[in-house]
């Protein structure tokens, strides 16, 4: 009798556990309600312009409750031929046709002709054309000061005066700038087994910028961007990857204090943020809660 009673209790216990696992908890139900009412905006994604990739991105976003995707890989507005659509036009048309209202497209700059005397004016014209075509903002990849070179082989610097008319025009057109200039400190440190990202850099050798004969120092890049932000107070700069300096909370806080037109997104820097004292992180997030933006750097 005792054995039968034990088996009955065990069976009932197992049924209860199974039911609990299948039934959403109160917290889960609250989360689903919040997601339904407040669809999150992801300010930093890179989606390839194909039906397959756009559809897959939407499936992922629907699962986690993201309503609007900002695609920073919208492409340039340069047309291969006068009668052919630009990369930006093709990407925007596809996303709008498949999932209207779910994507915002940022444009990218075509640096072809950098050494020509009229490049500054041509850059402004690209921005104006992107605005006309519906670009929601502008994305600058991690290439200024690093990989883009002039005809003499020198790096095109972030704060080159030739770009000032473009930054100014972006502000006049209310087009925010998402800009990437630097990465974790280890990417500039000697490449050896003592480098904490040694394996990661081995998998991605083009992420290493420790060769001082080729690349500018990391802090020099950050200082150049700060000068640009200061020169263009009416242009909003979203400094991606937690202000390009997630390992230094004090630096990020001082920069946000100093530059009211500067924002920081969280894209791909949660591990770095997680190394800091949680109380200090929370204080910074509360202090600048309107200028620290949700972003993932999801790539599809």
């Amino acid at each position: 009798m005792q054995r039968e009673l034990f088996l009955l209790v065990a069976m009932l216990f197992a049924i209860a556990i199974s039911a609990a696992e299948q039934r959403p908890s109160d917290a889960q139900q609250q989360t689903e309600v919040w997601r339904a009412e407040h669809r999150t905006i992801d300010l930093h994604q890179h989606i390839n312009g194909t039906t397959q990739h756009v559809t897959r991105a939407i499936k992922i976003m629907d699962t986690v409750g993201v309503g609007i995707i900002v695609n920073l890989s919208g492409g340039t507005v340069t047309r291969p031929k006068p009668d052919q659509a630009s990369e930006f036009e093709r990407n925007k048309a596809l996303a709008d046709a498949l999932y209207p209202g779910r994507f915002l497209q940022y444009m990218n700059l075509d640096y072809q002709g950098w050494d020509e005397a009229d490049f500054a004016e041509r850059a402004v014209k690209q921005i104006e054309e992107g605005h006309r075509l519906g670009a929601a903002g502008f994305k600058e990849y991690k290439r200024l000061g690093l990989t883009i070179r002039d005809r003499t082989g020198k790096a095109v610097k972030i704060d080159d005066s030739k770009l000032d008319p473009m930054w100014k025009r972006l502000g006049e057109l209310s087009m925010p700038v998402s800009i990437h200039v630097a990465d974790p400190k280890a990417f500039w440190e000697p490449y050896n087994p003592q480098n904490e990202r040694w394996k990661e850099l081995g998998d991605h050798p083009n992420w290493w910028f420790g060769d001082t004969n080729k690349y500018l120092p990391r802090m020099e890049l950050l200082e150049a961007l700060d000068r640009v932000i200061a020169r263009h107070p009416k242009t909003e700069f979203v400094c991606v990857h937690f202000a390009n300096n997630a390992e230094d909370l004090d630096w990020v806080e001082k920069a946000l204090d100093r530059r009211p037109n500067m924002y920081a997104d969280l894209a791909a820097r949660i591990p770095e943020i997680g190394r800091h004292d949680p109380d200090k992180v929370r204080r910074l997030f509360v202090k600048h809660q309107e200028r620290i933006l949700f972003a993932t750097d999801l790539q599809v």
Side-chain angles (χ1 to χ4, degrees), residues 42 74 111 114 131 139 171 199-200 209 233 244 247 268 279 296:
D42 186 339
Y111 281 91
W114 169 262
H131 182 264
K139 160 68 173 178
K199 186 179 184 305
E200 180 181 6
F209 303 105
N244 296 285
E247 294 160 301
D279 291 333
T296 62

Side-chain angles (χ1 to χ4, degrees), residues 122-158:
R122 288 160 58 184
V124 169
K125 289 181 180 178
Q126 286 187 54
I127 299 306
E128 292 173 341
E129 176 66 0
H131 182 264
R132 184 186 73 81
L133 293 172
F138 177 85
K139 160 68 173 178
E140 182 50 61
Y141 296 105
K142 184 186 60 185
R143 50 186 181 174
L144 290 174
L146 292 173
T147 59
I148 296 181
R149 308 274 166 168
D150 64 16
R151 63 164 57 105
T152 69
K154 291 183 179 179
V156 174
K157 295 189 176 182
I158 298 163

Side-chain angles (χ1 to χ4, degrees), residues 16-297:
I17 291 176
S18 177
E21 289 176 342
Q22 294 176 16
R23 186 174 61 251
S25 66
D26 290 342
Q28 288 174 319
Q29 290 177 342
Q30 290 175 8
T31 299
E32 293 304 321
V33 170
W34 187 91
R35 284 176 174 167
E37 295 178 352
H38 308 86
R39 301 291 284 181
T40 304
I41 298 172
D42 186 339
L43 197 68
H44 188 148
Q45 291 196 21
H46 298 281
I47 311 301
N48 287 348
T50 70
T51 298
Q52 177 186 3
H53 291 100
V54 170
T55 300
R56 183 165 184 265
I58 287 294
K59 287 181 179 179
I60 295 171
M61 295 305 100
D62 285 347
T63 300
V64 298
V66 169
I68 295 178
I69 298 169
V70 178
N71 180 26
L72 300 186
S73 299
T76 71
V77 297
T78 303
R79 293 188 170 187
K81 295 181 180 179
D83 60 343
Q84 292 181 356
S86 65
E87 181 183 17
F88 177 84
E89 290 174 282
R90 295 194 304 272
N91 287 334
K92 187 176 187 304
L94 177 66
D96 289 351
L98 292 175
Y99 301 99
R102 297 296 302 275
F103 286 90
L104 294 176
Q105 305 287 343
Y106 276 28
M107 66 170 290
N108 312 121
L109 189 67
D110 181 355
Y111 281 91
Q112 185 176 357
W114 169 262
D115 292 293
E116 303 301 324
D118 64 344
F119 181 83
E121 292 78 14
R122 288 160 58 184
V124 169
K125 289 181 180 178
Q126 286 187 54
I127 299 306
E128 292 173 341
E129 176 66 0
H131 182 264
R132 184 186 73 81
L133 293 172
F138 177 85
K139 160 68 173 178
E140 182 50 61
Y141 296 105
K142 184 186 60 185
R143 50 186 181 174
L144 290 174
L146 292 173
T147 59
I148 296 181
R149 308 274 166 168
D150 64 16
R151 63 164 57 105
T152 69
K154 291 183 179 179
V156 174
K157 295 189 176 182
I158 298 163
D159 58 345
D160 193 300
S161 60
K162 195 182 291 189
L163 295 172
D164 280 331
M166 180 188 74
W167 302 129
K168 179 182 179 183
R169 190 63 176 135
L170 284 161
E172 291 171 346
L173 294 173
S174 298
M175 293 174 67
V177 176
S178 284
I179 184 165
H180 186 181
V181 302
D183 279 327
K185 296 176 182 178
F187 288 19
W188 272 261
E189 293 173 351
Y191 178 63
N192 56 43
Q194 283 68 53
N195 187 313
E196 71 169 1
R197 295 178 181 264
W198 182 56
K199 186 179 184 305
E200 180 181 6
L201 291 170
D203 294 337
H204 305 279
N206 61 321
W207 291 0
W208 183 67
F209 303 105
D211 187 345
T212 56
N213 294 318
K214 293 178 61 178
Y215 303 112
L216 296 176
R218 180 174 171 276
M219 289 309 299
E220 190 172 323
L221 298 171
L222 292 171
E223 290 163 2
L225 176 57
D226 183 68
R227 289 191 290 271
V228 171
I229 296 172
R231 290 204 299 252
H232 300 282
K234 294 184 179 180
T235 304
E236 295 178 317
F237 291 88
V238 179
C239 300
V240 301
H241 303 305
F242 207 56
N244 296 285
N245 199 11
E247 294 160 301
D248 192 340
L249 281 189
D250 292 335
W251 185 95
V252 173
E253 181 172 11
K254 290 176 183 177
L256 289 171
D257 289 344
R258 185 172 63 249
R259 307 294 179 214
N261 59 320
M262 172 184 171
Y263 298 74
D265 84 17
L266 301 177
R269 290 298 180 266
I270 299 303
E272 287 76 17
I273 295 172
R275 284 179 155 186
H276 299 297
D277 174 72
D279 291 333
K280 188 173 183 179
V281 172
R282 183 180 187 278
R283 183 183 61 79
L284 174 59
F285 274 53
V286 171
K287 179 179 182 181
H288 288 297
Q289 58 188 282
E290 295 183 355
R291 289 196 285 143
I292 297 176
L293 308 172
F294 175 74
T296 62
D297 200 15

